[in-house]
């Protein structure tokens, strides 16, 4: 009776979810790079990234990650 | 219940999907880089139709810095999204 249909469907679904997550992660990665670059890098006297700029980018990414974690936690804390 | 001799259809689909995502990512990256450096380096008064020397050097450095930022962010976000 087993057609293998259900298992296959689940595998497909998992593959779709995985693929969507990858796509989202890539878009996010690009967005964060763009944003932190725009806000942190303001001068172009040199080709190399300065210390201040690098620290700024690191802080920017870290803050983004913290924000992201809070945002992810929020819905469950609102569940009553 | 077929014996697996090579990648299944599902796996092939996934591989194509990943390649597509990779291309999408690169296009997006290029667009953002262009946008960012246009904003930072080009004088908005558009006085002439060519890029002057200042704009040229700025663009060169901007692209260089943008790549460095991208790499840094990539490291911090756990490098390229894992499959």
């Amino acid at each position: 009776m087993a057609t293998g249909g259900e298992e296959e469907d689940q595998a497909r679904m998992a593959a779709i979810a995985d693929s969507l997550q990858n796509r989202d992660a890539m878009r996010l990665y690009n967005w964060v790079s763009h944003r932190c670059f725009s806000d942190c890098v303001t001068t172009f006297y040199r080709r190399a990234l300065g210390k201040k700029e690098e620290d700024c980018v690191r802080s920017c990414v870290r803050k983004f990650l913290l924000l992201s974690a809070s945002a992810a936690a929020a819905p469950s804390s609102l569940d009553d | 219940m077929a014996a697996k001799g090579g990648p299944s259809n599902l796996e092939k689909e996934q591989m194509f999907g990943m390649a597509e995502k990779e291309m999408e990512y690169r296009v997006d990256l290029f667009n953002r880089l262009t946008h960012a450096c246009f904003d930072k380096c080009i004088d908005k008064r558009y006085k002439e139709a060519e890029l002057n020397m200042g704009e040229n050097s700025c663009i060169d450095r901007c692209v260089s810095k943008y790549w460095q930022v991208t790499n840094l962010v990539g490291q911090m976000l756990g490098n390229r999204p894992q499959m």
Side-chain angles (χ1 to χ4, degrees):
Chain A
M1 172 137 133
T3 57
E6 165 130 6
E7 223 174 76
E8 217 175 85
D9 285 348
Q10 281 189 350
R12 258 205 97 130
M13 217 36 234
I16 288 172
D18 192 52
S19 149
L20 270 180
Q21 210 200 25
N22 270 336
R23 188 184 74 177
D24 178 63
M26 286 186 174
R27 286 183 181 177
L28 190 70
Y29 172 31
N30 264 336
W31 184 86
V32 175
S33 297
H34 188 171
R35 192 55 205 261
C36 296
F37 176 87
S38 292
D39 294 340
C40 289
V41 180
T42 52
T43 62
F44 298 95
Y45 300 119
R46 300 211 169 89
R47 296 182 98 240
L49 217 52
K51 182 78 171 67
K52 266 202 224 156
E53 291 170 330
E54 193 181 314
D55 289 343
C56 176
V57 170
R58 284 182 192 280
S59 301
C60 175
V61 178
R62 219 160 262 138
K63 288 196 185 211
F64 171 81
L65 288 170
L66 289 169
L67 161 68
S68 197
S70 299
S76 55
S77 71
L78 293 174
D79 264 354
D80 258 320
Chain B
M1 265 263 268
K4 278 204 187 173
S8 68
N9 279 336
L10 179 61
E11 281 163 1
K12 273 202 205 160
E13 213 175 284
Q14 275 183 295
M15 288 193 288
F16 278 119
M18 272 182 346
E20 187 186 330
K21 299 294 173 289
E22 171 82 26
M23 286 191 280
E24 201 180 286
Y25 159 77
R26 284 180 189 276
V27 167
D28 186 31
L29 173 61
F30 176 76
N31 283 334
R32 286 175 179 278
L33 180 153
T34 308
H35 183 178
C37 294
F38 183 89
D39 270 348
K40 300 269 187 191
C41 293
I42 309 294
D43 180 1
K44 302 296 178 286
R45 287 169 299 176
Y46 306 119
K47 288 202 292 211
E48 46 196 1
E50 311 291 334
L51 289 173
N52 64 45
M53 246 182 10
E55 288 170 333
N56 264 319
S57 333
C58 178
I59 288 168
D60 180 52
R61 293 166 190 162
C62 178
V63 171
S64 169
K65 286 191 175 190
Y66 197 94
W67 276 118
Q68 290 172 66
V69 168
T70 299
N71 287 332
L72 181 52
V73 171
Q75 280 170 38
M76 295 184 72
L77 291 185
N79 224 333
R80 300 286 294 284
Q82 286 319 303
M83 17 236 136

